[in-house]
Amino acid sequence: MKKLTGNEIRKMWCEFWSLKGHTVIESASLIPDDDPTILWINAGVTPLKKYFDGTIVPENRRIASIQKCIRTNDIENVGLTARHQTFFEMLGNFSIGDYFKKEAITWSFEFLTDSKWLDISKDKLYVTIYPEDRVAYNTWRGLGVEKEHIILLQDNFWEIGPGPSGPDSEIFYDRGEAYDPNHIGLDLLRKDIENDRYVEIWNNVFSQYNATPGLDRHNYPELPHKNIDTGMGLERMASILQEVPSNFDTDLFMPIMNKISEISGIKYNGQMEFKIIADHIRTITFALSDGANFGNNGRDYILRRLLRRAIRYGKKIGIERMFASDLVPVVAEVMYEAYPYINEKINMTIQKINMEEELFNHTLVNGEKHLQELFMNEDKKISGEDAFKLYDTYGFPFELTEEYAKEKGFTVSKEEFEKYMEEQKELARNSRENYNSMNIQNEELLNFENNNEFIGYDKLEVKTKILNLYDGEKLVDTLTNEGYIVLEKTPFYIEAGGQISDKGIITDGDIKIKVIGGFKGPNKQYFHKVTFKGTIKVDDNVIARVDKRFRSKISKNHSATHLLQKALQEVLGSDVHQAGSKVDNKRLRFDFKYDGDISHEQLIKVEKLVNKKIKKDVLTVVQNMNIDDAKKMGAMALFNEKYGKVVRVVNIVDSTELCGGTHVKKSSDIGRFAIISLESKGQNIYRIEATTGDNIERELFAQIKPYNEDMMKLLSKAKKIVADAASEGIILDFNVEINNDKPKNYQDILFNLNEVNSIKKAVMNLEKEYYNEKSKKLLEHLDDFLEKQKSINGINTLIIKTENCDVPVLKDMLDQLQNRINGFVFIANVNETNVNYLAKSSKELAGKIDCGKIVKDVSVESNGNGGGSKIFASGGGNKIDKVDDILMEVENIIIGL
């Protein structure tokens, strides 16, 4: 067998198929061209669909390629197995109505076994075929493959719904009994058991039937043109030819591993974290180079998830700085000969990764803090609502939250999370469709040109008449119970510029019509969404009355928003610019761009400055003027807003802005202003939420309510720790004082938050002290565990069960026990709702015992996951009822060596 590099395998592949009359085509982009059914090119045949479905006839019916592919259906398995990757290269040869089964099998066997090519011993190869495929069986036998090396499997039939289908024949390489510790042999293939002994290296798909619904497979009609579709994974073949344990140990990965070692200061020894980082950075580098981006939807979301996962695993091996982009040049260098364009895109790729990593680091700290708070819950559950908040507020993909949770023995409600996701999408759809669809798509509205007048700046009540009525999208003469009204004159402000619509009452004789919202039509008409009991008609004379209290609260918040922007510019600098806002009767939300960090001290200063402006008791001045004159006087405007020639300029104290909203008569009408929260939205955009007047006490209390609930949970947990410790003869002391004053401003919220954080820290220290004391007691009794040591097949073996031990304690105990027996140690630690598994063996046993596989298998049995290297592994799950059986399984594995 030849020992070849990745580049040499690629060259040999292209040379072989060229000699067989194939046109070797370049890899297509990872981003599908005009195929909305898939996010990524995920197989060698994918870019060739146009040939296989007959849409286009290729110039040469024989084609070969080396196709870049991305598959992300099993991201969680990357790093846990020897072969799972998200990015890989698929070597394929294809026949579109040319040669068929005999040639495909013969040539694949030639490439693998001929001394001119890969020179693999045929004795190391096993093949699977469909039981009824006599042509395939006879062809393999004719090539000299022993019948014992041909496995008949019913599943060897390729079919994905109606259309082309047919049997297939897979080729496996036998890595030997060292990778079959339980001596299962060919049953690993026959029973499709996940294993590292028989590695699938090639698949020949014989597309010869037209799968037809309602017909038995035996009655499928034959295709007029039979096709061949094959695939051989480059990374898998490299691992075989280079005789290394996994794809990650090949020359396609090792330079990346070495760079990660350099960054982390840890030598690569098969660690899962290294594999995940290396795989994900390859995927990200190629995807960005092919035109993808980071984002929240589709393939962009997948890239965001992969990078954030890589960063997280970087932290697990001690990398605290930004590092992902440092690996890009290594990927580019490794791939340069096959894909030189990666090097040409390197600066763009690095820039995008840096921006995304910086964005994630901004949100990661807060997100992880929130997660740690959730891990204080004693029920070991994270609600879908909390998972959604982590996604929506902190940018945590659900899958990342789920991984964190599994490690702590927690469960996450995916069903509830998806419900919140759907609610968010529904809100977005409603905000876009319910009104905008009428604005744009309804012919009745587009043809409606009657002008109606807004008089609500000066009057909150007016006698007017009904101009038009709409039942849904239909123009009607009469309306019953609900719909839309257009008035000749209206005092109701309709949502615009971030300010919500007014509410109030329209009186039509004895009928009271509730105004609950509205929108502006395409010709700037004011539409009022209404509900009532009875029937009203066009031309009815009515009285329209705005809810004064509701409007007053909105106006206070809107005017405070103007003062907030001015105060931010004075405290942070003139480069603060509005990026959006939302004003309602309860709160104001102000988004702004600012290139820098914002401290709590600066925010307190902003809050005080706004209140100082409010107390000046200055009249609000509103003017309509030419837009050029407004800009000359320094009026602030939204950069992406479209303004007419004449604009409305609002001056409140020292703030001057273009604004069409409603405001207080004088600054002191606002009463008081309080900041509720500051949040970074990434990309240098911040969001402040605040409130005014008599909303302050209620809204600030609502803001700290979760903190108070957290505090109660923390105190409950501390009480339990003290009680548990006492039951084990460990005396712990815990005393804290709690402030019960109601919050009045942002400083009070910070005090409350700091108080919770202080208690949290105290509880964590208490828990740490408890575990340390438990650890001391446990390690003092190591000899008790050593009494359970056995010698099995000449291997010093210790398989034990513990209860409620912290993982760091277990690792310390594992190390000490292993040092004492110099053999194999396996620990199952049972907690209330989950189990931890740890295994360690001496280096001398690496050829016999695979700790990573043992731990992975038992973790899966326990409804969890795990893995590691041959000499150390950890994992766990949330199924604890069969731990004793699993301990016996582990012992039987050692017995069977």
Side-chain angles (χ1 to χ4, degrees):
M1 184 170 68
K2 293 180 179 177
K3 188 168 186 177
L4 303 177
T5 66
N7 280 327
E8 288 169 338
I9 298 170
R10 291 192 194 100
K11 288 178 182 177
M12 191 174 283
W13 178 263
C14 295
E15 182 185 354
F16 179 84
W17 292 109
S18 293
L19 292 173
K20 300 299 181 185
H22 291 61
T23 296
V24 180
I25 60 173
E26 288 189 5
S27 172
S29 167
L30 286 163
I31 299 175
D33 181 20
D34 198 26
D35 187 350
T37 63
I38 53 174
L39 293 176
W40 307 102
I41 294 296
N42 55 14
V45 72
T46 307
L48 306 179
K49 283 182 182 179
K50 56 191 176 185
Y51 301 138
F52 278 83
D53 64 15
T55 305
I56 298 175
V57 177
E59 292 182 11
N60 185 353
R61 291 180 178 273
R62 298 183 178 190
I63 297 172
S65 69
I66 301 172
Q67 177 60 46
K68 301 170 294 184
C69 300
I70 290 179
R71 291 181 190 170
T72 56
N73 56 317
D74 50 5
I75 291 174
E76 293 77 12
N77 283 325
V78 173
L80 293 178
T81 72
R83 295 174 300 282
H84 274 96
Q85 297 159 223
T86 54
F87 172 84
F88 59 94
E89 294 175 75
M90 185 59 73
L91 288 66
N93 61 287
F94 310 92
S95 168
I96 295 89
D98 190 82
Y99 63 84
F100 196 49
K101 199 174 297 183
K102 290 181 180 179
E103 294 89 342
I105 291 174
T106 301
W107 289 338
S108 62
F109 189 72
E110 178 185 352
F111 183 75
L112 290 172
T113 61
D114 194 288
S115 60
K116 183 180 177 182
W117 306 110
L118 299 189
D119 196 20
I120 298 174
S121 169
K122 69 176 182 180
D123 294 334
K124 300 291 286 183
L125 299 180
Y126 287 80
V127 298
T128 60
I129 64 169
Y130 186 57
E132 297 174 32
D133 192 348
R134 300 308 302 174
V135 175
Y137 180 85
N138 292 333
T139 303
W140 283 118
R141 288 291 287 123
L143 292 169
V145 176
E146 298 294 335
K147 61 182 180 181
E148 292 81 11
H149 283 234
I150 302 174
I151 314 299
L152 309 183
L153 295 177
Q154 198 68 35
D155 288 340
N156 272 64
F157 196 95
W158 185 82
E159 181 179 1
I160 52 170
S165 65
D168 64 271
S169 181
E170 298 167 310
I171 307 173
F172 292 82
Y173 178 85
D174 180 6
R175 299 172 80 191
E177 291 195 6
Y179 292 91
D180 184 10
N182 296 324
H183 306 292
I184 297 173
L186 286 176
D187 273 351
L188 293 170
L189 289 179
R190 295 188 185 102
K191 298 179 180 179
D192 194 24
I193 300 171
E194 177 70 31
N195 72 95
D196 290 327
R197 175 172 180 175
Y198 299 102
V199 179
E200 181 192 343
I201 56 175
W202 201 317
N203 189 15
N204 286 288
V205 178
F206 313 123
S207 185
Q208 65 186 100
Y209 299 111
N210 184 15
T212 306
L215 289 181
D216 183 81
R217 181 181 289 173
H218 296 89
N219 297 321
Y220 286 167
E222 291 212 357
L223 293 170
H225 296 291
K226 299 179 178 62
N227 304 317
I228 291 294
D229 162 20
T230 80
M232 182 179 84
L234 173 66
E235 295 83 0
R236 289 192 184 189
M237 183 52 71
S239 73
I240 298 299
L241 297 177
Q242 294 171 23
E243 297 183 274
V244 292
S246 76
N247 297 1
F248 299 98
D249 299 290
T250 66
D251 69 315
L252 297 167
F253 278 93
M254 281 309 297
I256 308 172
M257 300 303 191
N258 293 335
K259 185 65 178 179
I260 298 171
S261 290
E262 178 188 319
I263 295 170
S264 65
I266 298 173
K267 186 178 179 181
Y268 172 61
N269 190 28
Q271 298 94 321
M272 176 182 69
E273 294 84 358
F274 280 69
K275 296 175 183 178
I276 289 171
I277 295 167
D279 169 80
H280 291 3
I281 203 65
R282 284 188 358 139
T283 305
I284 292 163
T285 299
F286 270 89
L288 292 177
S289 298
D290 280 12
N293 280 296
F294 297 105
N296 285 327
N297 295 294
R299 67 177 66 93
D300 296 351
Y301 172 71
I302 289 171
L303 285 194
R304 173 163 283 171
R305 179 185 170 194
L306 289 176
L307 182 63
R308 294 184 172 189
R309 197 165 184 261
I311 295 168
R312 182 193 165 214
Y313 278 94
K315 291 182 180 297
K316 280 178 165 285
I317 55 174
I319 305 175
E320 295 298 330
R321 67 172 180 85
M322 287 174 56
F323 73 93
S325 66
D326 292 352
L327 301 174
V328 173
V330 185
V331 175
E333 184 179 352
V334 171
M335 295 295 195
Y336 181 77
E337 189 170 333
Y339 306 102
Y341 79 97
I342 297 294
N343 205 55
E344 296 168 11
K345 306 260 187 175
I346 197 167
N347 291 333
M348 175 274 293
T349 304
I350 288 172
Q351 183 182 16
K352 286 185 177 182
I353 289 174
N354 281 338
M355 289 176 65
E356 182 67 17
E357 188 166 4
E358 188 174 354
L359 169 64
F360 185 42
N361 284 336
H362 275 307
T363 58
L364 184 63
V365 174
N366 289 330
E368 286 184 332
K369 282 181 181 176
H370 188 64
L371 260 176
Q372 293 307 318
E373 292 168 15
L374 296 176
F375 289 148
M376 294 290 183
N377 294 340
E378 294 180 10
D379 60 2
K380 297 283 185 179
K381 293 179 182 178
I382 294 177
S383 69
E385 182 180 9
D386 284 322
F388 176 75
K389 183 178 179 182
L390 282 163
Y391 166 79
D392 193 44
T393 305
Y394 302 110
F396 262 55
F398 175 83
E399 297 82 4
L400 193 58
T401 300
E402 197 172 38
E403 284 187 24
Y404 271 106
K406 275 187 177 180
E407 290 178 1
K408 295 284 186 179
F410 275 61
T411 58
V412 191
S413 174
K414 187 169 186 178
E415 184 179 342
E416 190 182 349
F417 169 82
E418 288 174 345
K419 184 189 81 172
Y420 278 94
M421 284 291 288
E422 187 55 39
E423 285 178 4
Q424 184 192 54
K425 290 175 185 176
E426 188 64 30
L427 284 172
R429 280 195 293 268
N430 289 342
S431 65
R432 289 195 307 268
E433 295 169 6
N434 290 356
Y435 295 150
N436 292 347
S437 62
M438 289 187 71
N439 286 352
I440 297 165
Q441 299 169 7
N442 188 286
E443 190 174 350
E444 303 272 15
L445 294 188
L446 293 170
N447 293 333
F448 171 38
E449 294 181 354
N450 293 32
N451 290 323
N452 56 343
E453 183 183 0
F454 172 64
I455 59 168
Y457 289 133
D458 304 310
K459 296 179 180 179
L460 298 183
E461 183 176 329
V462 64
K463 290 182 179 179
T464 184
K465 74 173 184 177
I466 297 174
L467 287 180
N468 290 80
L469 295 171
Y470 287 84
D471 185 358
E473 298 183 1
K474 186 180 179 182
L475 182 66
V476 293
D477 293 325
T478 62
L479 187 67
T480 301
N481 294 345
E482 64 178 5
Y484 294 92
I485 293 179
V486 179
L487 300 173
E488 184 178 52
K489 294 181 180 180
T490 180
F492 295 99
Y493 182 86
I494 299 299
E495 183 168 350
Q499 178 177 326
I500 67 168
S501 297
D502 282 332
K503 291 183 179 179
I505 299 291
I506 299 173
T507 306
D508 187 347
D510 293 332
I511 299 175
K512 286 194 173 181
I513 305 163
K514 291 178 69 174
V515 178
I516 59 174
F519 72 96
K520 286 185 181 178
N523 296 313
K524 298 187 178 178
Q525 312 94 333
Y526 299 97
F527 289 77
H528 307 87
K529 186 172 176 61
V530 297
T531 62
F532 57 97
K533 291 184 178 180
T535 300
I536 58 177
K537 61 184 185 297
V538 172
D539 290 332
D540 279 359
N541 292 313
V542 297
I543 297 172
R545 185 183 302 113
V546 173
D547 184 327
K548 292 181 181 180
R549 181 173 170 79
F550 190 80
R551 163 74 76 84
S552 174
K553 287 177 176 289
I554 294 170
S555 297
K556 289 175 182 179
N557 283 340
H558 199 155
S559 296
T561 304
H562 285 218
L563 296 179
L564 171 61
Q565 179 169 206
K566 184 65 176 177
L568 284 166
Q569 290 174 337
E570 291 178 23
V571 173
L572 301 178
S574 59
D575 57 339
V576 168
H577 297 292
Q578 182 176 345
S581 67
K582 177 71 181 292
V583 177
D584 60 28
N585 60 312
K586 295 179 180 178
R587 294 187 179 192
L588 63 96
R589 189 183 75 203
F590 185 71
D591 294 347
F592 60 98
K593 293 183 178 180
Y594 176 65
D595 187 12
D597 295 326
I598 302 173
S599 67
H600 291 309
E601 291 73 20
Q602 286 173 314
L603 215 56
I604 291 168
K605 191 174 180 180
V606 167
E607 184 183 67
K608 288 179 178 178
L609 187 54
V610 172
N611 281 309
K612 187 177 179 181
K613 294 177 187 293
I614 290 170
K615 289 179 182 178
K616 288 188 176 182
D617 195 27
V618 177
L619 287 172
T620 300
V621 179
V622 180
Q623 304 173 73
N624 292 315
M625 64 176 68
N626 182 282
I627 189 168
D628 293 330
D629 294 334
K631 288 179 178 177
K632 285 177 184 175
M633 66 184 291
M636 289 186 286
L638 275 172
F639 76 94
N640 60 347
E641 191 75 23
K642 294 180 179 179
Y643 297 98
K645 291 182 179 179
V646 177
V647 293
R648 185 169 182 261
V649 180
V650 178
N651 184 273
I652 307 172
V653 191
D654 54 355
S655 165
T656 305
E657 293 191 32
L658 304 186
C659 182
T662 64
H663 291 276
V664 295
K665 298 294 182 184
K666 59 183 187 296
S667 62
S668 59
D669 290 344
I670 297 172
R672 197 158 59 84
F673 168 83
I675 291 175
I676 297 170
S677 64
L678 170 71
E679 177 188 346
S680 170
K681 302 300 289 183
Q683 305 290 354
N684 298 324
I685 293 178
Y686 290 89
R687 171 172 294 174
I688 286 177
E689 288 202 29
T691 191
T692 60
D694 56 8
N695 284 331
I696 288 177
E697 184 175 314
R698 181 183 66 252
E699 294 300 316
L700 264 63
F701 181 76
Q703 185 70 15
I704 68 165
K705 186 180 178 183
Y707 301 156
N708 290 337
E709 290 173 353
D710 287 346
M711 196 180 302
M712 293 302 104
K713 289 178 183 176
L714 288 166
L715 293 175
S716 174
K717 182 172 184 177
K719 185 176 180 181
K720 186 176 185 303
I721 291 171
V722 171
D724 288 347
S727 68
E728 298 173 32
I730 301 170
I731 306 302
L732 300 175
D733 186 37
F734 185 80
N735 291 301
V736 293
E737 293 185 8
I738 299 175
N739 171 48
N740 291 313
D741 294 341
K742 292 181 179 179
K744 295 183 275 306
N745 51 39
Y746 184 66
Q747 195 162 2
D748 289 347
I749 287 180
L750 287 178
F751 179 82
N752 189 279
L753 176 60
N754 289 334
E755 186 176 37
V756 173
N757 287 335
S758 177
I759 292 173
K760 190 183 301 176
K761 189 174 180 180
V763 173
M764 288 174 71
N765 288 336
L766 180 73
E767 191 172 34
K768 188 175 180 181
E769 184 182 358
Y770 173 44
Y771 284 130
N772 285 341
E773 292 299 321
K774 281 184 70 173
S775 178
K776 286 180 185 176
K777 292 183 73 173
L778 199 61
L779 295 175
E780 285 172 1
H781 297 87
L782 278 183
D783 289 343
D784 295 343
F785 293 114
L786 289 169
E787 290 177 2
K788 299 178 182 180
Q789 176 187 342
K790 298 179 182 179
S791 179
I792 304 174
N793 289 334
I795 299 171
N796 294 329
T797 305
L798 182 57
I799 300 171
I800 58 174
K801 181 168 74 172
T802 60
E803 293 182 353
N804 301 315
C805 291
D806 195 25
V807 172
V809 175
L810 292 170
K811 286 183 177 178
D812 194 10
M813 188 169 89
L814 184 75
D815 289 340
Q816 293 202 36
L817 289 171
Q818 165 56 27
N819 290 337
R820 295 275 290 273
I821 73 167
N822 191 32
F824 172 71
V825 180
F826 182 90
I827 301 175
N829 176 64
V830 182
N831 303 298
E832 290 182 14
T833 59
N834 70 303
V835 59
N836 313 110
Y837 295 119
L838 292 93
K840 190 168 185 179
S841 67
S842 61
K843 291 180 180 178
E844 294 78 14
L845 295 173
K848 289 186 175 182
I849 299 175
D850 188 343
C851 292
K853 186 176 187 315
I854 291 172
V855 169
K856 183 181 187 305
D857 290 345
V858 299
S859 296
V860 169
E861 280 189 59
S862 301
N863 196 30
N865 213 334
S869 68
K870 289 184 179 295
I871 61 173
F872 171 74
S874 63
N878 54 27
K879 188 176 179 182
I880 62 175
D881 56 338
K882 292 188 176 180
V883 172
D884 290 335
D885 293 340
I886 283 171
L887 292 177
M888 286 299 298
E889 281 182 36
V890 174
E891 184 170 332
N892 287 335
I893 289 171
I894 308 302
I895 291 170
L897 293 177

